[in-house]
Amino acid sequence: GDALLQKSYTVDFLTKKRTQNKGEIQMFYVEDDHDAIISKRIWECVQLEIKRRKKYLEEHGTNSYSHRPESNPFASKIICGDCNKVFARKGWRSSTGVDRKVWQCSERYKVKGAMGCANRHVEEETLIKAYLMAWNALVENRADFMEQWTEQLQSENLLEGYRAEKFIEYTDGAEPLTEMDTDFMLKTLDHIKGSALHVLVPHFESYFRTFFEWGGFPTTSLKSNGLQHEQNFNDFLRQDFVPESLDENLLFMIEFVMVEQLGKNLRNNIAHGLSDIKMFRKNNCLMVVYLFWLITAIKWVFPSENVEE
């Protein structure tokens, strides 16, 4: 480790009073003075992270980067897609006594009695689903990201290189997550941009899978290690029972809006963090709502039991 000598000096040898050296006397910088506690690279990464977090707090109007992460892991990590400020966690209780954890833009009711930001609240369960969907897409498409991470390893920005190194390590041989691990989420998640589209897309995918589960079709597959594995949405749509069960035009619309690269590709763009501001236009949200309406209008009919679900 390096050492800077004479950062302070004695101004009165009788009283032993010392003061900070602001250029009154010469200072000496000694390299490799002692065994380092951490490597120089890690120290420099930490300095860059401190600057990044300071800028993050200023941009999103908050004074804390995290608050009690063990019980509130999404604190300061949910950013409003409309006004760019942080979401705050709220505890709501319904008229039936059911407690819910929701996240709401901190600018929505900043002034008492007056509504500010018009962005809607997000259920905490939806945020968990969005994180799991994004991480699992990263694991399933690791090969597509390796080129980007390899380039970042050579970047002059040491923090970018460090993060790329960690993502290569975390995704190596990783299995898709089925539930959220808070400690792991804090290592891998920077923030979630909260907009209607971020809520609608994960909900549609979840409902679509559940819809086929109600029909008695398998929504998971068995891996070689004997563990149940949820297929990525692209592969799920290609299962034989999906085109056999849905109208051809409806399936084409779902693929075009959700996963087709030549179409909207909303699901994959959100899961891979490739979305831009143009994607969050009202018409895209309406398309997903329309898909919901089309799917919820379909009912499974079981002739043997003459029962509808």
Side-chain angles (χ1 to χ4, degrees):
D2 300 347
L4 182 62
L5 307 182
Q6 292 196 164
K7 289 185 288 187
S8 63
Y9 66 100
T10 303
V11 294
D12 189 325
F13 288 95
L14 293 176
T15 62
K16 310 299 183 186
K17 181 181 178 182
R18 295 183 66 83
T19 189
Q20 185 178 357
N21 184 1
K22 297 182 178 179
E24 292 84 354
I25 64 174
Q26 187 175 2
M27 287 188 282
F28 300 92
Y29 188 83
V30 183
E31 294 183 348
D32 299 323
D33 174 72
H34 55 275
D35 292 336
I37 300 172
I38 61 172
S39 70
K40 184 177 290 187
R41 173 174 176 254
I42 294 297
W43 186 88
E44 290 177 352
C45 286
V46 170
Q47 308 315 303
L48 290 171
E49 177 66 7
I50 290 171
K51 290 179 182 178
R52 188 195 70 83
R53 291 191 181 191
K54 182 180 178 181
K55 182 180 179 182
Y56 182 94
L57 297 180
E58 292 171 353
E59 284 182 354
H60 303 305
T62 183
N63 56 13
S64 175
Y65 189 75
S66 64
H67 180 67
R68 297 179 180 175
E70 65 283 351
S71 59
N72 192 13
F74 289 114
S76 299
K77 291 184 177 292
I78 312 304
I79 305 301
C80 180
D82 289 356
C83 69
N84 209 36
K85 302 301 181 184
V86 295
F87 273 36
R89 192 189 203 191
K90 308 288 183 183
W92 287 0
R93 175 167 289 183
S94 68
S95 57
T96 58
V98 178
D99 291 327
R100 299 159 56 201
K101 297 297 183 185
V102 302
W103 289 79
Q104 187 180 73
C105 180
S106 56
E107 296 290 308
R108 186 169 176 85
Y109 296 111
K110 194 170 185 178
V111 178
K112 189 174 182 180
M115 191 178 81
C117 179
N119 203 352
R120 299 286 294 170
H121 66 271
V122 184
E123 298 279 348
E124 187 161 283
E125 283 300 313
T126 299
L127 295 176
I128 293 173
K129 287 179 182 178
Y131 169 73
L132 293 175
M133 183 182 81
W135 176 257
N136 289 342
L138 197 70
V139 171
E140 291 159 2
N141 298 277
R142 183 177 188 266
D144 297 334
F145 288 95
M146 279 301 297
E147 182 178 351
Q148 174 187 335
W149 292 336
T150 304
E151 288 179 4
Q152 287 178 332
L153 286 174
Q154 310 303 321
S155 171
E156 293 182 1
N157 186 315
L158 294 179
L159 184 58
E160 279 190 9
Y162 177 79
R163 285 183 161 185
E165 179 184 301
K166 286 299 177 183
F167 272 100
I168 292 172
E169 176 188 330
Y170 294 150
T171 56
D172 185 21
E175 293 288 339
L177 296 176
T178 56
E179 58 183 23
M180 191 175 79
D181 180 327
T182 298
D183 290 337
F184 187 70
M185 185 277 282
L186 293 171
K187 291 178 183 178
T188 54
L189 177 67
D190 183 55
H191 69 275
I192 295 175
K193 200 81 167 181
S195 70
L197 206 58
H198 281 94
V199 176
L200 287 168
V201 170
H203 264 307
F204 177 81
E205 179 178 347
S206 177
Y207 179 82
F208 190 83
R209 293 177 188 273
T210 303
F211 170 77
F212 278 94
E213 190 176 337
W214 290 340
F217 296 101
T219 57
T220 60
S221 57
L222 197 64
K223 299 280 281 185
S224 57
N225 56 11
L227 296 177
Q228 290 290 327
H229 168 69
E230 188 177 76
Q231 290 181 310
N232 66 59
F233 199 46
N234 301 51
D235 291 340
F236 185 79
L237 289 172
R238 294 183 178 89
Q239 293 269 53
D240 291 340
F241 56 79
V242 175
E244 290 172 0
S245 305
L246 298 181
D247 176 76
E248 181 180 348
N249 292 328
L250 173 56
L251 181 58
F252 173 81
M253 189 179 300
I254 292 171
E255 290 178 336
F256 178 84
V257 173
M258 290 292 174
V259 300
E260 179 56 55
Q261 288 189 354
L262 298 178
K264 294 294 182 179
N265 202 19
L266 298 182
R267 187 269 179 196
N268 292 331
N269 284 335
I270 288 178
H272 297 168
L274 302 176
S275 52
D276 58 31
I277 192 65
K278 294 179 181 178
M279 202 180 80
F280 299 102
R281 291 173 178 168
K282 185 178 180 180
N283 61 337
N284 285 337
C285 295
L286 291 176
M287 275 192 279
V288 181
V289 172
Y290 183 57
L291 291 180
F292 261 115
W293 181 78
L294 291 174
I295 289 294
T296 53
I298 302 173
K299 292 183 178 181
W300 292 110
V301 179
F302 304 98
S304 60
E305 300 176 5
N306 197 27
V307 174
E308 290 188 353
E309 274 196 17

